[in-house]
Amino acid sequence: MHSSNTEHNDTSNLYTGPTIGDMIITLLERYPDRIAFIDPCGSTITYRLLGLRIAYLLKRFEQIGLERGASIVQLCGNRADVFAVMAACYIGGYRSVTLHPMGGVDDQLFILENCQARLLITDADRLERSVKLLSDSKQSFSVLAHDPDQSVRCIWDQFTSLHSHRIVNRAAANEVVRLIYTGGTTGRAKGVMGTSESLATNALIRMAAHNWTDLKLLCSTPLSHSAGTLILPVLWHGGTLVLHAGFEPDRLISDLVENRINALYLVPTMIYRLLDHPRINELSSTKLKMLMYGSAPISPARLIQARSVFGPVLIQHYGMSEAPTVVLGMNEADHLDDSLMASAGKPYPGVTVKILDNDGHEVSVGEVGEICIRGPLVMKGYLNEPHLTAQVFKYGWFYSGDLAYQNERGYFFIVDRSKDMIISGGFNIYPKEIENIIAQHPAVASVGVIGVPDADWGEAVRAFVVRKPNEPLAESALVDMVRKAKGSIHAPKQVIFVDSLPLTALGKIDKKALRAEFWSSKTRGVN
């Protein structure tokens, strides 16, 4: 007789979801001799060498005495070793935390203490900052450097490429292996807990939606943020990531023309700077297969201009730290339709997205509600913030804070962040809609719209506009454009012309900085 032991029939562990650690191990073994990364200094790193460095880091972390679940923080510019550390965390069950290289001291101190950092890894350019963080922090952690230095020990001082080490994934699908800290525009930053399954799901969704074959992708935005989610799809298909230390239009254009770069990742402000660059016509000779952009809203007028310059290669992605980067998207075909230039697209495959009201009910076509998401892409919650976590998880959905509507074809149109909405004379006004109208004027380079306190209206619409060089532009022309398109309620009460708009470290227009002058004396952000 056969045994009826139930443990032989137990399927409870069969459906734990994909892990990003197993995916990284697989791709490293598949293309050992190909170039995985080209660093800003020009040095190349093969897949084999990348695997050796990851294996070394896993042993080094054990030698240091780091326990599973420990937070390993990096403060570095773009380089392949940043990904090697991240990958070692994903595989070993540590928590990868990447500080924005241009972030402020106070924010970085808060993150180090909030995540209970055990190790901070830095580079030569940020060594002084890292030592200051160590001395100022209440949290006890070690500092190691990617680069040899007399004052701080180098993490690679025992590395040799002569020894091969088999890498084995140790992190479960539901294990938190990434802490992504939000920008904190409404207060202190929150630590978004990303699981191994969430990160793997992000990569799988990207690969299902776009063609990643034979890509040589140039990335000048920090790997610590959205750009980092492109690494796995490129490497899974044997491609190469070309890293720049920052966005320098001249160098980027030269690399595109001379080094057979066929893919780009940019944020909208970078696209604008390229479009306005005197060498932009040189890009007509390049063989771009993909120009992916995201992380901030883009002007529809400038998007049409980008399409005329770069061709039918534009891909937009929309997401947030809590459901990273692949919630909605616009593919190459979508970008051929002028009526969709203000759209965020349709849901990526495998992500469930609805527009709901505050009571969890789906709104009608054309009606504004909040973008809500569910599925394995969504975060586990905010670190040590159960109350904030409960606020955004309602009725089985993650409430994003982004207000949007769907048209009859099912495309999503984001009207604004709920916190950016202006209430003027009792009417809800969405700054992004006004920005899109003003940006259509040929003399406008960029625009930001906010609400300012007003005794009569509660809030008044105010626009801050950067003119294109040597282009005359009157305030009345922009006010009339908005009035004709949206009515007098939406028309700015004032247009202020400025030389530049404040930007966040990620290149987004910093609405908090724009508002500061007008709202600093107020006890709340509405009037």
Side-chain angles (χ1 to χ4, degrees):
M1 291 182 62
H2 292 290
S3 170
S4 60
N5 192 333
T6 56
E7 67 181 50
H8 290 112
N9 300 316
D10 183 9
T11 60
S12 61
N13 291 323
L14 294 180
Y15 307 105
T16 57
T19 67
I20 191 168
D22 282 319
M23 292 180 70
I24 291 170
I25 293 167
T26 298
L27 69 85
L28 290 172
E29 294 171 340
R30 179 172 284 155
Y31 310 107
D33 298 320
R34 293 194 187 184
I35 302 298
F37 286 92
I38 301 176
D39 269 342
C41 63
S43 62
T44 60
I45 294 90
T46 64
Y47 284 68
R48 178 183 285 108
L49 180 57
L50 180 61
L52 288 168
R53 291 177 86 79
I54 293 169
Y56 164 81
L57 286 168
L58 287 166
K59 292 190 69 175
R60 189 71 192 273
F61 293 160
E62 287 183 359
Q63 291 172 357
I64 294 170
L66 297 179
E67 298 175 352
R68 190 164 167 162
S71 292
I72 297 174
V73 184
Q74 292 191 84
L75 178 54
C76 301
N78 277 357
R79 60 195 298 161
D81 284 338
V82 167
F83 176 71
V85 172
M86 295 168 75
C89 290
Y90 300 156
I91 292 167
Y94 305 103
R95 295 183 173 188
S96 169
V97 186
T98 45
L99 301 177
H100 195 289
M102 300 298 290
V105 172
D106 290 345
D107 287 342
Q108 292 171 348
L109 269 176
F110 171 79
I111 292 170
L112 284 162
E113 292 171 1
N114 185 257
C115 75
Q116 296 184 302
R118 291 287 312 282
L119 174 64
L120 173 61
I121 304 172
T122 189
D123 58 17
D125 291 339
R126 294 154 191 90
L127 182 58
E128 185 177 342
R129 165 67 64 88
S130 298
V131 172
K132 176 174 174 52
L133 290 170
L134 178 63
S135 65
D136 292 352
S137 178
K138 299 172 186 174
Q139 176 68 26
S140 177
F141 56 87
S142 303
V143 175
L144 292 174
H146 279 301
D147 307 297
D149 187 271
Q150 292 181 348
S151 59
V152 174
R153 191 170 180 181
C154 178
I155 193 167
W156 302 104
D157 60 2
Q158 301 171 30
F159 176 76
T160 172
S161 59
L162 300 177
H163 299 98
S164 178
H165 304 285
R166 175 72 180 172
I167 306 174
V168 178
N169 180 56
R170 299 202 305 251
N174 65 351
E175 200 164 341
V176 176
V177 294
R178 179 93 163 103
L179 292 175
I180 311 165
Y181 278 83
T182 62
T185 53
T186 57
R188 67 182 188 182
K190 302 182 290 291
V192 173
M193 295 189 288
T195 64
S196 185
E197 180 179 19
S198 170
L199 299 179
T201 298
N202 179 286
L204 291 169
I205 289 171
R206 280 198 179 281
M207 290 190 280
H210 308 300
N211 181 7
W212 299 87
T213 305
D214 298 324
L215 289 191
K216 193 174 184 182
L217 187 143
L218 191 157
C219 184
S220 57
T221 61
L223 297 182
S224 53
H225 288 70
S226 295
T229 64
L230 307 183
I231 296 174
L232 236 68
V234 171
L235 297 184
W236 186 268
H237 291 85
T240 301
L241 289 117
V242 181
L243 303 180
H244 281 190
F247 179 67
E248 298 174 9
D250 266 317
R251 184 185 177 194
L252 186 145
I253 292 171
S254 296
D255 242 2
L256 279 172
V257 173
E258 300 167 10
N259 294 321
R260 298 182 181 177
I261 306 294
N262 59 15
L264 279 176
Y265 178 72
L266 301 170
V267 299
T269 51
M270 295 175 178
I271 294 176
Y272 303 161
R273 287 181 63 187
L274 281 181
L275 293 175
D276 295 337
H277 197 277
R279 295 179 60 195
I280 187 64
N281 291 334
E282 295 180 35
L283 297 183
S284 60
S285 64
T286 60
K287 303 294 183 183
L288 271 186
K289 293 182 177 181
M290 174 191 291
L291 195 168
M292 186 170 286
Y293 67 94
S295 298
I298 192 167
S299 155
R302 299 288 258 169
L303 192 53
I304 291 173
Q305 185 184 357
R307 184 184 64 194
S308 69
V309 170
F310 297 106
V313 297
L314 298 170
I315 295 171
Q316 177 191 160
H317 68 84
Y318 156 83
M320 63 284 303
S321 299
E322 294 87 346
T325 67
V326 285
V327 174
L328 302 172
M330 290 250 293
N331 64 20
E332 298 92 335
D334 293 327
H335 280 89
L336 301 179
D337 185 340
D338 285 2
S339 71
L340 298 178
M341 292 297 99
S343 175
K346 289 190 172 188
Y348 268 94
V351 186
T352 305
V353 190
K354 299 284 186 183
I355 298 179
L356 306 179
D357 62 20
N358 288 331
D359 298 318
H361 302 126
E362 190 169 5
V363 304
S364 304
V365 170
E367 185 179 344
V368 173
E370 192 164 339
I371 292 178
C372 297
I373 309 146
R374 64 183 177 195
L377 180 70
V378 178
M379 68 169 180
K380 200 167 188 175
Y382 297 119
L383 179 67
N384 301 325
E385 297 282 5
H387 179 67
L388 291 178
T389 300
Q391 286 181 348
V392 296
F393 283 103
K394 298 182 291 186
Y395 313 109
W397 294 85
F398 167 71
Y399 272 66
S400 70
D402 284 331
L403 302 175
Y405 67 90
Q406 273 184 288
N407 69 5
E408 296 80 2
R409 295 162 59 192
Y411 284 88
F412 286 67
F413 290 77
I414 298 172
V415 295
D416 233 308
R417 290 289 293 169
S418 56
K419 68 176 184 295
D420 288 338
M421 186 177 71
I422 300 167
I423 302 178
S424 184
F427 291 90
N428 293 346
I429 296 172
Y430 305 109
K432 186 172 181 292
E433 292 184 328
I434 301 171
E435 290 165 356
N436 287 344
I437 294 166
I438 291 175
Q440 293 175 25
H441 195 289
V444 171
S446 57
V447 54
V449 172
I450 63 168
V452 300
D454 186 271
D456 294 326
W457 296 91
E459 293 179 75
V461 178
R462 184 166 297 183
F464 296 81
V465 173
V466 179
R467 296 184 182 98
K468 290 182 181 177
N470 305 315
E471 292 279 0
L473 180 59
E475 176 183 11
S476 58
L478 300 179
V479 174
D480 288 343
M481 279 182 70
V482 179
R483 184 179 290 116
K484 289 176 182 177
K486 296 292 293 182
S488 59
I489 294 293
H490 292 74
K493 298 292 187 287
Q494 187 178 14
V495 176
I496 298 176
F497 293 104
V498 294
D499 293 332
S500 62
L501 291 170
L503 301 177
T504 68
L506 292 178
K508 302 178 185 181
I509 294 176
D510 191 341
K511 295 289 184 76
K512 184 180 179 183
L514 281 179
R515 291 192 192 96
E517 176 185 349
F518 308 99
W519 291 99
S520 59
S521 62
K522 299 289 182 179
T523 57
R524 59 180 187 159
V526 294
N527 195 45

